Amino acid sequence: YSLQVQVGSSPVYRLERKLGKGGFGQVYVGRRTSGGSDRIGPDAIEVALKLEHRNSKGCNYGPPYEWQVYNSLSGCYGIPSVHYKGRQGDFYILVMDMLGPSLWDVWNSLGQSMSPNMAACIAVEAISILEKLHLKGFVHGDVKPENFLLGLPGSADEKKLYLIDLGLASRWKDAQSGQHVDYDQRPDVFRGTIRYASVHAHLGRTGSRRDDLESLAYTLIFLIKGRLPWQGYQGDNKSFLVCKKKMATSPELMCCFCPAPFKQFLEAVTNMKFDEEPNYVKLISFFESLIEPCTPLRPIRIDGALKVGQKRGRLVINLEEDEQPKKKIRLGSPATQWISVYNARRPMKQRYHYNVADSRLRQHVEKGNEDGLFISCVASAANLWALIMDAGTGFTSQVYELSTVFLHKDWIMEQWEKNYYISSIAGANNGSSLVVMSKGTPYTQQSYKLSESFPFKWINKKWKEGFHVTSMTTAGSCWGVVMSRNSGFSDQVVELDFLYPSEGIHRRWESGYRITSMAATADQAAFILSIPKRKMMDETQETLRTSAFPSTHVK
């Protein structure tokens, strides 16, 4: 690569030592070959050059996505200035101010820990920077110690904090309409850095303001304690294990040995809703008690946070406690529960049986069939079966098999030959399964998959082929998902979580989706929500969570 760089109307720079890599690009020191006067600004003798190859992920047949973000954010508080940009040879190049060490470097030089007072200064300044970034309609998407830099050592800004690397930034606010972007979840998409990512990012949910703040909370705790409880996982399912651990670690445990404000901050940001506007002033006020009152002695300048305070007279405002305390989530205590879903229907005959042992199954089904009922739904808890039988299925004939093999292939193939289709399935902890197949379903073709992790990639592939999920279950940690053609659904989405995904389900309900299948392992719960092709007369749906089978509620 030529060691001379010149883009747009910039001076000529000589490429020197590498400073690091950020997102999809590499960053080098550039030194002017002649002239120049200042240490920072467009006329600086030394600058930072961010090079991105035109074939890299960030450059989709054009300048890097990050350039658009810098254009929208030019002059934004705490974001470094871009002085020149352009293409030279195969590289897109940004010319920016040289900055000092990252918070990671500072943490390392302090013996891999940091005083809570210094972390509090970082907290209030970082919240201010994120507030200004969010005000412009963007979320950063990769908040971590490596992406916060101090100003150039020996310069006037050496104690000033900057947020760099906008390669993963995205809009939380639509540029045209000014509305919040829509909620979505794509469990196969992960963006960010595993150690600091929010739980929602792990689960593939659309990024919003809460995610930057959750990553900041993990960053602060890391700087003080020197490690996070989920460090050290390896292997293909690292992201899954880290997310599970994040969900299972209570704020008390995570913030032990940290002063109270850090726990308050973590609790506040992990309880936020998808489109909730953060109360930045309140978040900043948590840390006031830890901040050195004497300005010259502060390790980090907190101009941004002070500006917020000056508007109101001082840094901390006494917030009226008009807010309802929120229900705490992520308590770290696993629970087993029944989740039942109720759909409003015209009156019809329906009966339920639960805690049914293998040997008693047959008599319940035969009795139901005699009364003109078919099985509409099966489930399993603690190796016992539960079934719902009713008169509203529209089936004309039904067979079922109880097998010690999870979704016994030979039997299923045999029934497909006779034009039976899988209408409901349940798997038990011991690996056995109950498969119910019926005639009179609308289905024209079926396919099913067994998988040790939730098979979202397969589901996504099958959606493109015109299939929809029509039933699913788990046996132990193994998922079984059945997809059918001609399902009667026009669209389908997935909600996958380590807890009951209440917010996601409510958002989907508001968009006209209804739960049509669900299953859970000991770790995860998955809900399939669908939009029916034919508008239902009454489309009310409720869910209930109970510790025992909800027999009284069903009635």
Side-chain angles (χ1 to χ4, degrees):
Y1 187 75
S2 97
L3 296 177
Q4 303 267 326
V5 168
Q6 197 266 322
V7 289
S9 57
S10 83
V12 179
Y13 299 102
R14 192 173 64 246
L15 206 65
E16 297 199 334
R17 67 185 189 283
K18 188 170 165 180
L19 283 170
K21 62 188 284 294
F24 307 118
Q26 313 282 341
V27 186
Y28 294 87
V29 176
R31 195 177 182 85
R32 279 182 72 143
T33 51
S34 64
S37 55
D38 306 323
R39 289 197 66 193
I40 54 172
D43 210 23
I45 297 168
E46 278 200 327
V47 293
L49 302 173
K50 183 161 186 181
L51 277 64
E52 198 161 327
H53 196 279
R54 62 187 177 87
N55 296 341
S56 92
K57 258 199 237 155
C59 305
N60 214 341
Y61 309 110
Y65 168 73
E66 190 177 16
W67 284 20
Q68 297 172 38
V69 184
Y70 271 115
N71 283 346
S72 313
L73 294 177
S74 67
C76 189
Y77 182 79
I79 304 291
S81 306
V82 172
H83 301 304
Y84 310 99
K85 56 180 185 291
R87 183 170 162 183
Q88 181 178 312
D90 284 341
F91 287 87
Y92 287 99
I93 302 172
L94 286 177
V95 180
M96 307 167 81
D97 278 335
M98 267 291 279
L99 292 171
S102 72
L103 290 182
W104 170 269
D105 301 325
V106 173
W107 170 81
N108 242 328
S109 66
L110 293 171
Q112 305 203 333
S113 74
M114 190 179 277
S115 77
N117 302 62
M118 185 168 183
C121 286
I122 290 165
V124 299
E125 192 59 0
I127 293 166
S128 301
I129 293 171
L130 289 172
E131 177 180 18
K132 314 287 192 296
L133 178 83
H134 293 167
L135 209 54
K136 299 253 189 188
F138 283 89
V139 289
H140 183 277
D142 197 17
V143 169
K144 57 181 175 181
E146 298 90 318
N147 281 341
F148 282 110
L149 266 54
L150 293 176
L152 209 51
S155 75
D157 289 335
E158 69 176 353
K159 289 183 173 182
K160 192 165 154 40
L161 198 60
Y162 295 88
L163 180 58
I164 62 159
D165 201 355
L166 301 174
L168 289 177
S170 61
R171 287 189 180 274
W172 67 264
K173 189 158 99 177
D174 186 277
Q176 268 64 52
S177 68
Q179 298 290 307
H180 199 291
V181 296
D182 289 338
Y183 171 86
D184 196 14
Q185 184 181 16
R186 307 223 19 170
D188 58 337
V189 175
F190 173 75
R191 299 175 66 186
T193 301
I194 288 179
R195 184 183 295 176
Y196 304 101
S198 74
V199 162
H200 304 292
H202 281 284
L203 291 166
R205 296 199 175 111
T206 310
S208 66
R209 292 169 288 185
R210 63 181 179 183
D211 300 299
D212 280 347
L213 294 164
E214 186 176 329
S215 292
L216 176 59
Y218 298 147
T219 295
L220 296 167
I221 294 162
F222 173 82
L223 291 172
I224 294 173
K225 294 180 69 169
R227 67 173 282 119
L228 290 163
W230 43 85
Q231 278 171 242
Y233 287 112
Q234 290 304 324
D236 293 343
N237 59 344
K238 176 176 166 176
S239 179
F240 169 88
L241 294 169
V242 167
C243 185
K244 181 178 162 184
K245 184 76 171 166
K246 281 177 183 167
M247 292 295 270
T249 311
S250 67
E252 283 72 23
L253 190 59
M254 210 180 298
C255 300
C256 63
F257 310 123
C258 296
F262 295 95
K263 174 174 153 293
Q264 289 173 298
F265 179 65
L266 178 65
E267 277 182 340
V269 301
T270 51
N271 275 298
M272 284 178 65
K273 296 268 172 275
F274 168 67
D275 54 6
E276 187 176 327
E277 177 165 4
N279 186 338
Y280 302 98
V281 177
K282 182 176 181 177
L283 296 174
I284 284 171
S285 74
F286 288 152
F287 296 99
E288 200 220 13
S289 60
L290 292 174
I291 289 188
E292 164 64 54
C294 176
T295 308
L297 296 176
R298 287 189 196 128
I300 306 270
R301 279 178 27 202
I302 55 167
D303 317 2
L306 290 170
K307 283 196 190 86
V308 173
Q310 276 155 8
K311 280 189 222 132
R312 300 178 171 70
R314 52 191 285 258
L315 175 56
V316 68
I317 18 56
N318 295 328
L319 291 140
E320 290 69 56
E321 289 304 324
D322 51 1
E323 301 169 24
Q324 287 297 307
K326 293 195 180 160
K327 205 164 61 193
K328 286 196 181 159
I329 56 165
R330 300 194 201 172
L331 298 175
S333 46
T336 303
Q337 54 186 0
W338 280 91
I339 301 178
S340 44
V341 177
Y342 304 83
N343 296 306
R345 293 280 295 268
R346 289 207 190 90
M348 66 171 184
K349 206 171 186 180
Q350 186 173 65
R351 66 175 65 143
Y352 62 84
H353 305 281
Y354 63 99
N355 289 351
V356 178
D358 293 3
S359 56
R360 300 285 301 273
L361 192 62
R362 193 168 157 191
Q363 67 191 72
H364 289 310
V365 176
E366 282 175 0
K367 175 79 177 74
N369 292 160
E370 278 167 32
D371 297 340
L373 309 180
F374 285 114
I375 299 167
S376 59
C377 182
V378 289
S380 164
N383 300 323
L384 296 168
W385 307 102
L387 58 156
I388 306 283
M389 299 194 69
D390 64 53
T393 60
F395 301 149
T396 53
S397 165
Q398 198 169 60
V399 291
Y400 69 91
E401 188 197 41
L402 191 54
S403 166
T404 53
V405 182
F406 185 45
L407 304 196
H408 180 204
K409 188 176 173 187
D410 297 342
W411 183 81
I412 292 172
M413 305 277 280
E414 207 177 295
Q415 304 312 314
W416 275 341
E417 289 293 309
K418 300 178 193 165
N419 284 325
Y420 283 92
Y421 287 99
I422 298 170
S423 53
S424 57
I425 52 173
N429 292 344
N430 61 17
S432 62
S433 64
L434 173 57
V435 177
V436 182
M437 298 183 70
S438 310
K439 280 186 179 170
T441 70
Y443 313 140
T444 52
Q445 195 183 349
Q446 266 184 344
S447 182
Y448 73 90
K449 182 165 179 74
L450 305 183
S451 171
E452 277 303 313
S453 58
F454 184 74
F456 184 78
K457 281 198 168 73
W458 177 78
I459 291 172
N460 205 21
K461 185 183 102 200
K462 287 303 215 187
W463 278 340
K464 294 190 176 88
E465 296 170 14
F467 286 80
H468 290 103
V469 176
T470 48
S471 48
M472 63 177 182
T473 190
T474 63
S477 63
C478 188
W479 294 84
V481 179
V482 180
M483 295 186 73
S484 312
R485 272 212 169 105
N486 199 36
S487 63
F489 303 137
S490 61
D491 191 30
Q492 201 167 58
V493 292
V494 168
E495 277 296 317
L496 179 69
D497 206 317
F498 289 80
L499 298 169
Y500 174 76
S502 176
E503 189 195 2
I505 287 173
H506 279 273
R507 289 193 173 274
R508 303 299 197 180
W509 273 342
E510 284 161 20
S511 309
Y513 289 87
R514 293 295 175 262
I515 297 168
T516 51
S517 312
M518 51 181 184
T521 62
D523 291 327
Q524 280 187 305
F527 293 77
I528 302 288
L529 295 97
S530 313
I531 292 185
K533 278 188 176 149
R534 291 175 52 190
K535 193 99 178 74
M536 295 175 286
M537 285 308 291
D538 186 344
E539 44 182 328
T540 319
Q541 189 173 63
E542 312 180 342
T543 61
L544 180 73
R545 292 178 280 159
T546 50
S547 53
F549 186 87
S551 45
T552 46
H553 190 82
V554 172
K555 292 192 185 93

